[in-house]
Amino acid sequence: MPLVAIALVGCLGACEYESKDASRLPSPAPATEACAVPPGPDGGGTATIPPLPDGGEIDAGAYLVLAPGYPVPFEITVPAGWSSEDGDGLRKDDPDHPDDMAVFVGWWSAGYVPTDACAWEGALVRIDPSAKAFVDAVTAQASTASTPPVEVKVGNYSGFEFDHAIEGNMDVTACDRGKFCIHSELSNECTRWYSTREEHEAYRVVDLYGQRAVSWVVQFHEAINPELTNEARTVFDSIVYRSGQ
């Protein structure tokens, strides 16, 4: 099993992968508590935490994020060397591969999921706002492989976590517009896609008072330094949603 795949799964551990492509990703072990810092007091404490900048390299520290459509904000803690991507995610590049994206922690609205990640044009299906609806749609998606979702707790909130990747030897050039569409904010265009078969992610989908909050950590290439992959997982696991509406 590649070290980078092991690192991506992080604290959730791994067991035998039971999906359409048993060689791609490890499966998270059952868990009752995600690796997140404890939530702040109900409805308070956010004033001392600065908002995440909209773009550019940011200082190490904790930031507050209110993602569109989320009923509560979340905190995320970032070490040095990370950059904000339009306030919708964080990225860090591998100095050994300066011209390629390395790792990314993202979050944004995911209202549409294609039934087939390869043949996705004109086939983006709107899903209801529950966490389970997103998990069911993505893990059932053709042309991709997922680990069995496990239930997790993030502070006071429940959710699911699973890994996701391209199935087997799928050829991206044969797909609509040369990309694998995973989900989208729009009904007529894909906003989250894979451009190569090497991309894979860990998803955490949390139920916030009946509205889902979707976050993910991406590894773009298998040759990425495992220390950077571990660091990305730590940033991902630092997300904690505030209590109270």
Side-chain angles (χ1 to χ4, degrees):
M1 185 180 296
L3 289 177
V4 291
I6 296 172
L8 185 63
V9 175
C11 64
L12 287 181
C15 61
E16 183 180 356
Y17 185 63
E18 298 175 354
S19 190
K20 294 174 286 186
D21 184 358
S23 65
R24 285 292 297 175
L25 291 170
S27 172
T32 57
E33 188 74 24
C35 295
V37 295
D42 288 1
T46 61
T48 60
I49 301 175
L52 181 71
D54 287 337
E57 189 167 334
I58 60 177
D59 295 331
Y63 293 92
L64 192 68
V65 181
L66 181 55
Y70 289 17
V72 297
F74 65 85
E75 299 170 27
I76 190 167
T77 303
V78 185
W82 284 75
S83 297
S84 174
E85 294 284 303
D86 299 322
D88 292 330
L90 297 163
R91 67 175 284 177
K92 189 171 185 179
D93 296 330
D94 188 339
D96 295 331
H97 302 274
D99 297 327
D100 297 321
M101 288 277 284
V103 289
F104 181 84
V105 177
W107 55 86
W108 62 71
S109 174
Y112 299 86
V113 175
T115 54
D116 190 325
C118 185
W120 58 268
E121 281 195 296
L124 292 166
V125 179
R126 185 172 183 83
I127 54 175
D128 73 46
S130 71
K132 190 174 186 303
F134 179 86
V135 173
D136 289 347
V138 174
T139 56
Q141 190 176 66
S143 303
T144 59
S146 300
T147 54
V150 295
E151 294 186 7
V152 296
K153 291 285 288 184
V154 183
N156 294 330
Y157 304 103
S158 60
F160 303 90
E161 185 161 332
F162 61 94
D163 288 350
H164 200 61
I166 299 305
E167 182 182 16
N169 295 317
M170 292 289 299
D171 181 7
V172 66
T173 62
C175 297
D176 293 344
R177 301 195 200 176
K179 56 190 177 185
F180 299 102
C181 182
I182 308 304
H183 55 77
S184 182
E185 301 168 274
L186 307 173
S187 63
N188 60 347
E189 182 57 84
C190 188
T191 59
R192 175 66 192 117
W193 68 86
Y194 300 165
S195 56
T196 74
R197 288 193 298 107
E198 291 189 14
E199 277 186 61
H200 53 282
E201 308 170 292
Y203 275 89
R204 185 175 296 145
V205 189
V206 178
D207 181 2
L208 302 178
Y209 306 105
Q211 298 289 320
R212 67 174 164 270
V214 181
S215 59
W216 58 92
V217 55
V218 188
Q219 179 179 306
F220 288 96
H221 304 283
E222 294 180 351
I224 292 169
N225 187 328
E227 292 183 3
L228 180 55
T229 310
N230 276 327
E231 185 175 301
R233 180 70 199 212
T234 300
V235 173
F236 176 65
D237 286 333
S238 77
I239 292 176
V240 57
Y241 297 91
R242 282 290 181 172
S243 297
Q245 291 182 315

